[in-house]
Amino acid sequence: MDVLVTGGAGFIGSHITHRLVSLGHRVTVIDNESTGLRSNVPAEVRYIRGDVTNPDDLDKAFEERPDAVIHIAGQVSIIRAFSNPVGDLRTNVEGTVNVLQQCVERGVKRLLYASSMSAYGNAETVPTPEDTPCSPVSYYGVTKYAGERYVHLTAARPDLPGGLAVTSFRMYNVYGPRQAVDNPYQGVLGIFLGNIIRGEPIRIYGDGKQTRDFVFIDDVVDAWVGALDNPASHGKIFNLGSGRQTSISELADLALGALGRTRADHPVLYHPERPGEQRSVQADVAYAGSVLGWTPRTRLEQGLAETVRWALRENGRENGQDSSEDSGQANGMAERAVA
């Protein structure tokens, strides 16, 4: 298939792009490089540096009329959404509408959309199934849910010749290699690992008892790619999580242990809770299992070990350290994380 991946140079998008290429698909990537890196994208991919909020950039991306669109591009920070709600709205809603408009005009038949568990807000039911009413408590959650509704309402339009088959994935806390360890607004595990590697305090906002559901990137990619040409997924919304709760304090301890540290030799500081934070988060993944045959395979400890190996290799290269020495250090710490 010819597949367009928006945000394909970022953390999740680049992993999906690599998998698609490995399976023989022809891929175009558009990314504004606000958080993504061109170096994350395979050389054989057609690459456009552009923004989904810019119709001219999307014209270039869609000019070869893809068979399918994987729409990952988005503003992903809850805190930045509060400090710049207009920017959040433009990227996550206007950008999604622009992508949909291109699909309609070009006759694209397939779209997969990156939604978010933040759409649920503080759900009464935990683990949370997909039929739970959505009541987001953050601006970010509002925009991701709005984008999701635009996607499914567009697919329901009776005036589209041939129709548009859509699938949305409400992703939980995705982590793994290529997740930024130097971006204080993106991915709590990456933030914690970066803090430890640089010798900075870990900062927890709230009492640390709030929980998240951490799902490994390879498992997430399995679901996206598996649904691409699967008619059973058409028109449906799926949770992508591990089905396990982990408190933020527990995560801090796991990250410290993976890097050979403890709270006795590395500070963990607690600060007042920030707006838009969900309290208890855990995915019910039974629906994805029954429809897609998908189950998360990677335990947090296993995925954390792999992420630590990657983070230490990357940090070693940035600091000019010997790669073989750094690789040995990474493997030793990763083995301790699994143990």
Side-chain angles (χ1 to χ4, degrees), residues 21-282:
V21 169
S22 74
L23 293 172
H25 297 289
R26 297 170 298 277
V27 182
T28 295
V29 162
I30 181 171
D31 198 293
N32 67 5
E33 298 180 15
S34 60
T35 58
L37 298 171
R38 176 66 180 87
S39 59
N40 285 341
V41 180
E44 59 267 46
V45 165
R46 176 174 172 253
Y47 185 80
I48 297 164
R49 184 175 182 181
D51 199 299
V52 294
T53 65
N54 187 332
D56 292 337
D57 292 343
L58 281 177
D59 279 339
K60 296 175 186 176
F62 276 84
E63 64 186 2
E64 296 184 4
R65 210 191 89 166
D67 299 309
V69 175
I70 290 179
H71 181 38
I72 304 285
Q75 191 293 120
V76 299
S77 168
I78 289 175
I79 298 304
R80 279 187 169 168
F82 279 107
S83 62
N84 183 14
V86 173
D88 185 61
L89 181 69
R90 286 202 65 211
T91 300
N92 291 349
V93 181
E94 183 181 341
T96 298
V97 171
N98 288 343
V99 169
L100 286 167
Q101 191 63 32
Q102 287 280 349
C103 289
V104 170
E105 292 175 357
R106 310 267 183 168
V108 175
K109 305 301 183 188
R110 184 76 173 113
L111 171 71
L112 287 77
Y113 171 71
S115 189
S116 169
M117 58 88 178
S118 62
Y120 292 120
N122 288 313
E124 292 185 4
T125 304
V126 179
T128 306
E130 289 86 349
D131 60 1
T132 300
C134 289
S135 183
V137 295
S138 66
Y139 292 166
Y140 169 72
V142 169
T143 61
K144 293 305 290 184
Y145 185 52
E148 180 186 297
R149 298 313 308 145
Y150 270 106
V151 164
H152 287 266
L153 287 171
T154 301
R157 285 174 50 177
D159 61 324
L160 301 185
L164 174 64
V166 301
T167 303
S168 289
F169 291 109
R170 290 178 181 161
M171 292 188 287
Y172 281 67
N173 293 80
V174 186
Y175 73 97
R178 293 194 208 126
Q179 185 174 47
V181 297
D182 58 357
N183 185 338
Y185 300 102
Q186 188 178 14
V188 63
L189 178 58
I191 292 170
F192 285 179
L193 292 178
N195 292 153
I196 300 165
I197 289 170
R198 294 187 297 271
E200 302 165 353
I202 290 177
R203 300 183 184 277
I204 294 176
Y205 294 88
D207 61 9
K209 296 179 182 179
Q210 65 270 38
T211 63
R212 296 294 180 265
D213 183 326
F214 295 94
V215 58
F216 191 59
I217 182 62
D218 289 355
D219 295 339
V220 167
V221 174
D222 287 344
W224 279 83
V225 175
L228 180 62
D229 196 27
N230 183 351
S233 71
H234 292 181
K236 295 183 173 63
I237 298 166
F238 300 101
N239 289 334
L240 294 184
S242 70
R244 169 183 170 182
Q245 287 190 73
T246 302
S247 76
I248 297 302
S249 285
E250 181 184 356
L251 181 73
D253 290 328
L254 287 169
L256 285 166
L259 286 163
R261 306 283 198 276
T262 68
R263 292 186 185 226
D265 55 37
H266 193 99
V268 177
L269 307 179
Y270 288 80
H271 297 272
E273 181 180 353
R274 297 188 293 193
E277 294 287 349
Q278 293 164 267
R279 185 63 183 173
S280 298
V281 173
Q282 182 182 357

Side-chain angles (χ1 to χ4, degrees), residues 181-182 313-321:
V181 297
D182 58 357
R313 286 196 302 268
E314 290 298 301
N315 188 67
R317 278 200 290 267
E318 290 173 5
N319 293 328
Q321 296 172 6

